[in-house]
Amino acid sequence: MRTIFRRAPFQRALGLAWVIPALALVGVFVYLPLVQNFGFSTLKWDIYSGSQEYVGLENYRKLIGDPVFWSSFGNNLLYAVVSIAFQVFGALLLAALVESIRSERWRRGLRAVYFIPSAISLTVAGLLFYFVYEPNLGLLNHALDAVGLGRFGQSWLGQGDTAMLAIIAMSQWQGFGYSTLLFAVAIQRIPSEIYGAAAIDGTGPIRRFVHVTVPLVREMTGLMMMVTISGAFQVFNEVMVMTGGGPDNSTQVLGTWLYRSGFVRNNFGYAAAIATVLFVITLGVAMAQLWVTRRRRVEW
């Protein structure tokens, strides 16, 4: 007994010896940059000349009065709403339809077909759709001409009222299959006995989806909501590849406006303030979603 008690402090120390290096790496490469970024946001910093001037919270006051910042935030918010509709609820519905097919061969084939776009990087997908949306030679306008709807053809990325929606449509195409596959895995984990009992009770497929599938995949739904919203506020590649934030800043999102403020307009302190706001938004969303998911955990 004494030997066991003597070993316990040694085992704890040995466990800390394994944990401390990982904590040190996380602290140096994650938490320290966060603190430094907040410090940068209190400066007026010319990154090319190296001159720095402490301005306190002036960058945050400028941010509140910046119309491009608010339009960028609105674009991120629109991106999040559309992504939730398609990549969470739409993907859940499609996954339920695929998993309801009796043929295993068809289920596997459809999962592969829907997942293929997700294997394409966002940069490549953005370039692909840039040419799809091209007003003169693009596939979309030619397809509209072919079905007699040529009057609706336009410069999809060249107009402020369609450019952001065109970018969002591309991103939904690229990410929809991945979300569908995750929901399919969650549905496969539901015991078949539950569906069998629901069928014996005379419930139809719609009621089984609403009263069995949806409640039992709520953990995956919560995870996908968190990932989708966080991803919507970290959008960067597709906007830079397809429009660069134009026309007339109509497709700027927080990530691209941060980049433009820091590396194009040489206002690094202001860019750091945008980064801080972006971090607070994503952290708040993640903490709220984790709290909700923990309270609604599914137990078999």
Side-chain angles (χ1 to χ4, degrees):
M1 183 66 69
R2 290 181 179 177
T3 304
I4 294 175
F5 283 122
R6 288 174 183 173
R7 287 180 179 177
F10 173 75
Q11 290 174 344
R12 285 196 295 269
L14 186 62
L16 287 174
W18 287 101
V19 171
I20 288 174
L23 290 176
L25 288 173
V26 171
V28 171
F29 292 104
V30 177
Y31 295 108
L32 179 60
L34 289 174
V35 175
Q36 287 180 320
N37 181 79
F38 179 75
F40 295 155
S41 71
T42 63
L43 303 174
K44 183 179 180 182
W45 186 2
D46 186 327
I47 61 173
Y48 299 111
S49 67
S51 63
Q52 299 180 6
E53 178 187 350
Y54 179 76
V55 294
L57 299 179
E58 180 62 27
N59 286 321
Y60 293 95
R61 284 191 286 269
K62 287 173 58 179
L63 186 145
I64 293 173
D66 183 2
V68 180
F69 168 80
W70 289 110
S71 65
S72 301
F73 177 79
N75 285 334
N76 281 109
L77 198 60
L78 175 63
Y79 200 105
V81 171
V82 175
S83 295
I84 289 172
F86 282 91
Q87 295 191 33
V88 178
F89 299 115
L92 173 58
L93 179 60
L94 180 61
L97 290 173
V98 170
E99 293 305 311
S100 67
I101 298 173
R102 294 190 176 184
S103 171
E104 178 65 22
R105 180 180 298 177
W106 275 99
R107 290 201 301 271
R108 290 180 179 178
L110 288 173
R111 289 187 206 121
V113 168
Y114 290 127
F115 183 74
I116 286 173
S118 299
I120 304 173
S121 73
L122 275 172
T123 302
V124 174
L127 288 172
L128 173 65
F129 271 77
Y130 177 85
F131 292 108
V132 169
Y133 291 137
E134 208 278 331
N136 298 315
L137 303 175
L139 179 63
L140 181 54
N141 281 351
H142 277 286
L144 291 173
D145 284 332
V147 297
L149 298 174
R151 63 184 181 278
F152 294 110
Q154 55 189 295
S155 178
W156 299 96
L157 296 176
Q159 301 180 99
D161 55 348
T162 59
M164 194 65 214
L165 293 176
I167 295 173
I168 292 174
M170 181 280 297
S171 68
Q172 304 312 305
W173 173 84
Q174 194 272 343
F176 189 72
Y178 180 73
S179 301
T180 301
L181 190 64
L182 291 179
F183 276 116
V185 172
I187 292 173
Q188 291 169 14
R189 293 181 61 246
I190 300 175
S192 58
E193 293 82 2
I194 297 178
Y195 284 112
I200 292 173
D201 289 339
T203 58
I206 296 178
R207 291 185 62 190
R208 282 200 298 273
F209 173 75
V210 174
H211 297 290
V212 177
T213 304
V214 172
L216 294 181
V217 299
R218 62 175 178 259
E219 283 190 51
M220 180 59 72
T221 303
L223 174 63
M224 289 305 302
M225 289 275 285
M226 180 177 65
V227 171
T228 300
I229 296 174
S230 297
F233 279 94
Q234 297 175 32
V235 172
F236 182 81
N237 286 357
E238 49 267 61
V239 176
M240 288 298 293
V241 168
M242 298 179 73
T243 64
D248 194 25
N249 290 324
S250 62
T251 60
Q252 292 285 2
V253 291
L254 292 177
T256 57
W257 188 234
L258 183 158
Y259 168 82
R260 186 171 182 82
S261 298
F263 296 100
V264 178
R265 302 173 68 198
N266 193 20
N267 195 346
F268 202 76
Y270 185 70
I274 298 174
T276 301
V277 172
L278 192 56
F279 167 72
V280 170
I281 292 172
T282 53
L283 178 65
V285 169
M287 292 181 65
Q289 195 61 56
L290 285 173
W291 181 77
V292 171
T293 303
R294 188 179 295 112
R295 287 173 59 88
R296 302 181 64 188
R297 188 177 300 276
V298 176
E299 296 182 2
W300 305 107

